[in-house]
């Protein structure tokens, strides 16, 4: 995505709007447990940030945009997927 905005806060808000638009569009993904196509859910999307400050900015934009979000949890890197 190309995020339009004069600053990082505006670009984070554009990201939140883009995520909502993607979900509302009915974009389909392959469900990893069934192998069947299904509409994308918010939980299918991950946003990576270079800095902790970036994480806070994006999290705030997602919160303001009513997009469900979670930040890194302790022990996350100890999971098998990591």
């Amino acid at each position: 995505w190309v995020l339009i905005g004069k600053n990082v806060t505006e670009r984070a808000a554009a990201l939140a709007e883009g995520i909502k638009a993607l979900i509302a569009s009915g974009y389909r993904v392959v469900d990893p447990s069934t192998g069947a196509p299904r509409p994308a859910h918010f939980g299918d999307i991950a946003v990576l940030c270079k800095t902790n400050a970036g994480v806070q900015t994006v999290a705030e934009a997602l919160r303001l945009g009513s997009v469900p979000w979670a930040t890194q949890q302790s022990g996350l890197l100890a999971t098998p997927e990591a």
Side-chain angles (χ1 to χ4, degrees):
W1 288 335
V2 176
L3 302 175
I4 305 298
K6 296 177 184 175
N7 57 48
V8 68
T9 302
E10 288 183 10
R11 289 189 297 275
L15 175 64
E17 290 303 314
I19 291 170
K20 290 192 319 188
L22 178 75
I23 298 300
S25 75
Y27 184 84
R28 298 181 70 76
V29 298
V30 175
D31 188 296
S33 61
T34 66
R38 62 163 172 77
H41 302 148
F42 286 114
D44 295 318
I45 299 169
V47 178
L48 304 178
C49 299
K50 289 183 180 181
T51 65
N52 287 335
V55 170
Q56 296 307 315
T57 300
V58 170
E60 179 66 6
L62 295 175
R63 184 186 68 76
L64 292 173
S66 299
V67 175
W69 59 274
T71 56
Q72 178 181 351
Q73 301 166 5
S74 62
L76 181 64
L77 294 178
T79 63
E81 295 82 7

